[in-house]
Amino acid sequence: FRENGQRVNQIGVVQNIPNPASVRAQNALQNEVVKQSHLGKELTKRELILEVKQTYLELQQRKELQQLYEQLIQTYEQYFQMATVRVDVGAANSIEKLTIHSALNEYRLLLNQSSLEIESLEKQLANLLNTDQSVTATDNLAMIAFSTKDSLNNLQVQIATQNIQIEQANVELLKTDLKPDFN
């Protein structure tokens, strides 16, 4: 209302058109962030694959060691029996028997330790594979071929390059924010 009682209606329309360069820079930044997310996903995938391979190979190594310890224990048990007979007959000193018994006990201890490590590695491998079933290595110890295609270093360089591209896109966005919008 005006002072004299007249009614006044006003309608205002404002159309805001952002600067096209600003929209383009924002889209470029979002595209670079998406690329970075894909590279991060690939890095996580490759790290998990590497960790599973390392755990599996370590499990294979421990199983080979376990077999070696079992063979050594059998051999030392035979030597211990021979040393016992030699001591009983008087052909050897009892120190020989004690030395062999000490080595035999050491290998038994290493066998027990190896069994515990195998159990732990099997649980760790099952955890990495996200399963409740028991998982173990069934084949013999083998070398895996090195592949530069699957290298984590290449992927980390790509991620670093992607970070640079994101920052460059961010700089372009900041520059375009200084330009006026159309109203």
Side-chain angles (χ1 to χ4, degrees), residues 81-93:
Q81 290 172 357
M82 286 188 274
T84 303
V85 170
R86 288 177 53 145
V87 168
D88 290 344
V89 174
N93 194 348

Side-chain angles (χ1 to χ4, degrees), residues 7-181:
R7 181 179 254 179
V8 178
N9 293 326
Q10 287 183 333
I11 299 176
V13 176
V14 175
Q15 185 175 7
N16 189 5
I17 302 172
N19 192 323
S22 176
V23 172
R24 202 174 16 242
Q26 185 105 23
N27 289 342
L29 175 64
Q30 291 303 318
N31 288 339
E32 297 302 328
V33 169
V34 167
K35 287 179 188 176
Q36 182 189 32
S37 297
H38 286 296
L39 287 173
K41 175 186 170 190
E42 186 65 26
L43 178 66
T44 303
K45 176 182 164 186
R46 287 187 188 177
E47 285 174 341
L48 181 61
I49 289 171
L50 177 65
E51 192 172 347
V52 167
K53 284 181 181 179
Q54 286 175 334
T55 304
Y56 187 80
L57 289 175
E58 193 173 341
L59 181 60
Q60 285 181 321
Q61 179 193 18
R62 297 291 185 235
K63 285 193 164 210
E64 292 286 329
L65 276 175
Q66 185 180 36
Q67 290 176 359
L68 176 67
Y69 293 147
E70 288 170 351
Q71 291 171 357
L72 286 171
I73 287 172
Q74 289 175 357
T75 303
Y76 272 91
E77 284 175 344
Q78 292 172 357
Y79 286 149
F80 183 70
Q81 290 172 357
M82 286 188 274
T84 303
V85 170
R86 288 177 53 145
V87 168
D88 290 344
V89 174
N93 194 348
S94 62
I95 293 177
E96 178 182 346
K97 179 181 170 184
L98 291 174
T99 303
I100 293 173
H101 191 262
S102 172
L104 179 62
N105 285 338
E106 180 181 347
Y107 285 119
R108 285 179 180 156
L109 181 66
L110 287 172
L111 179 64
N112 288 339
Q113 179 183 353
S114 179
S115 296
L116 290 174
E117 288 173 346
I118 288 172
E119 185 180 326
S120 172
L121 286 170
E122 286 173 345
K123 287 180 182 177
Q124 183 179 351
L125 189 60
N127 189 24
L128 285 172
L129 296 174
N130 197 21
T131 182
D132 292 333
Q133 299 174 351
S134 63
V135 179
T136 188
T138 57
D139 52 350
N140 292 334
L141 188 60
M143 294 293 293
I144 53 173
F146 178 75
S147 171
T148 57
K149 175 183 98 156
D150 294 334
S151 175
L152 292 178
N153 291 336
N154 289 343
L155 198 54
Q156 289 170 338
V157 168
Q158 289 177 357
I159 289 174
T161 304
Q162 190 61 38
N163 287 338
I164 291 169
Q165 291 176 350
I166 286 175
E167 291 305 318
Q168 288 172 343
N170 199 17
V171 167
E172 288 300 317
L173 179 64
L174 292 174
K175 283 181 183 177
T176 59
D177 281 345
L178 297 175
K179 295 179 181 178
D181 292 337

